[in-house]
Amino acid sequence: MPRPHRQPPSLRTTPTTGPSQRGLAATTWGVLRRHRGALARATVRVVGAAGLAGLLVTSAIFALAWPLFTRMRNRRAWYQYVEDPYLHESTDLVLVALCTLPLFLLLLGIGSAALQSVCSRAVAAETGEPPRSAGTGPEPLRARVRPVLFVYALRGLIVWPLPIGVAAWADSLTGYHLDTPLPLERGSWPYVLVSASPAVALGVAVLLRLALSLAPAAAADGLGPWAAVRRSWSLAWTRTGAPRVLVLALPLAAVAAGVLRLAVQAALPLRPLVRELLEPATGNFFAAYYAGVLAPVVVGVLVTVALVLPVACTAFAVLHDRLRPPVRRG
């Protein structure tokens, strides 16, 4: 009886276990595990550079705002002299913070763009499909940071003007302003609708933000900023893309919020420490007080970026690789 023909071991077909056949979480974990060295080094460099740059920028802002702290100190001394309670006005400091916020957003965007480029390169190496900006040296990787940064800026311009503008408009009609009568009667239907409009605008902004979640990964894949935004929009607003983006984005946002809160709470002992160090050195209680307030927040943001951002960038790069159209090879 003839034996059944057996395929030689070198020609046996093995089951496909590549990234395309695995789950999104398993693929992301595999990329993070196999490329942990490169990702860890990139994260340490980015977080360290961002922390140092943020410290320098904060010191420069405090130096520019020093006349405000001096005025607070002098007014506090005067009120103590006349034995009246002093409640300092922080409106000017809030304006300074709002004017300098773009600098910190720029630092965060540069760090996020660098990590997204590294994570997308790791995902491309895992899937065997290199990005369109092929190259193994450090120069192509640095060249990818600029389009990703432009994508962050473009996405911010698309998402956030609507809720900010609507909130300012609603506050002008329903907010409390000293010596200014309310344009709308409190409790009327127009008042209720205008009061609810910022929440509606914020919901629209969240939807836009979810639809553009894949844009940085698309830019790191080799597309230009506007092309990356269009691809993310076309991939997210599909029957298969929308639930995947939602299922990925919501847990990551919850984890980031939880890590940020825990890190800030753990860093709260820095407040009295920073205050006790800076007040004798500067002779200004208010400068030391606000520096102490900022210290746990800065530590919390850096810890959150270091722990969550590499995972998020890798996960969105994997999802973009799953959803993007196949590359035609001529």
Side-chain angles (χ1 to χ4, degrees):
M1 182 177 181
R3 293 184 178 181
H5 176 71
R6 292 184 179 181
Q7 195 175 16
S10 59
L11 300 178
R12 290 180 183 175
T13 57
T14 57
T16 304
T17 58
S20 61
Q21 300 298 322
R22 300 161 60 190
L24 178 61
T27 305
T28 302
W29 173 251
V31 173
L32 292 173
R33 181 172 57 85
R34 279 183 283 273
H35 299 269
R36 58 184 178 272
L39 296 179
R41 288 191 296 270
T43 302
V44 170
R45 287 197 300 266
V46 167
V47 174
L52 180 59
L55 180 61
L56 295 177
V57 171
T58 304
S59 301
I61 292 171
F62 268 67
L64 292 175
W66 200 257
L68 298 178
F69 295 123
T70 303
R71 186 175 64 183
M72 290 180 182
R73 182 192 61 187
N74 295 338
R75 288 178 64 85
R76 181 192 184 193
W78 168 254
Y79 274 86
Q80 287 179 346
Y81 174 75
V82 298
E83 298 181 352
D84 282 344
Y86 171 61
L87 298 176
H88 70 279
E89 178 63 39
S90 59
T91 304
D92 294 336
L93 287 178
V94 172
L95 293 177
V96 171
L98 291 177
C99 292
T100 56
L101 181 62
L103 295 176
F104 295 97
L105 293 179
L106 178 62
L107 288 177
L108 183 61
I110 293 174
S112 301
L115 282 179
Q116 181 65 71
S117 301
V118 174
C119 295
S120 295
R121 181 62 59 87
V123 172
E126 188 74 13
T127 58
E129 295 184 6
R132 295 180 184 179
S133 57
T136 57
E139 183 62 29
L141 184 60
R142 290 198 297 267
R144 278 294 91 201
V145 174
R146 185 182 300 175
V148 179
L149 181 60
F150 286 162
V151 163
Y152 282 121
L154 183 59
R155 187 173 65 181
L157 292 175
I158 294 173
V159 172
W160 296 116
L162 176 63
I164 294 175
V166 171
W169 171 71
D171 181 72
S172 65
L173 296 178
T174 61
Y176 176 76
H177 303 281
L178 188 63
D179 299 331
T180 302
L182 289 176
L184 299 177
E185 182 181 357
R186 190 180 300 273
S188 62
W189 279 109
Y191 182 91
V192 173
L193 293 177
V194 172
S195 299
S197 60
V200 176
L202 182 60
V204 174
V206 170
L207 291 178
L208 289 174
R209 176 62 177 79
L210 289 173
L212 302 180
S213 297
L214 300 173
D221 188 52
L223 296 181
W226 187 245
V229 168
R230 291 201 308 266
R231 172 180 282 186
S232 178
W233 183 272
S234 63
L235 295 179
W237 287 112
T238 59
R239 186 174 299 179
T240 58
R244 292 187 180 184
V245 170
L246 190 64
V247 168
L248 177 60
L250 292 184
L252 286 175
V255 170
V259 171
L260 178 62
R261 181 171 180 82
L262 290 176
V264 171
Q265 291 294 323
L268 284 180
L270 289 176
R271 282 187 177 180
L273 180 61
V274 171
R275 195 180 308 165
E276 292 174 1
L277 289 176
L278 291 183
E279 187 174 1
T282 61
N284 195 308
F285 166 80
F286 293 99
Y289 171 79
Y290 282 105
V293 170
L294 286 177
V297 178
V298 172
V299 171
V301 171
L302 292 177
V303 171
T304 304
V305 168
L307 296 180
V308 179
L309 194 58
V311 179
C313 291
T314 303
F316 278 110
V318 172
L319 181 59
H320 172 260
D321 185 75
R322 297 282 181 85
L323 297 177
R324 70 175 181 177
V327 180
R328 295 181 179 179
R329 303 180 183 273

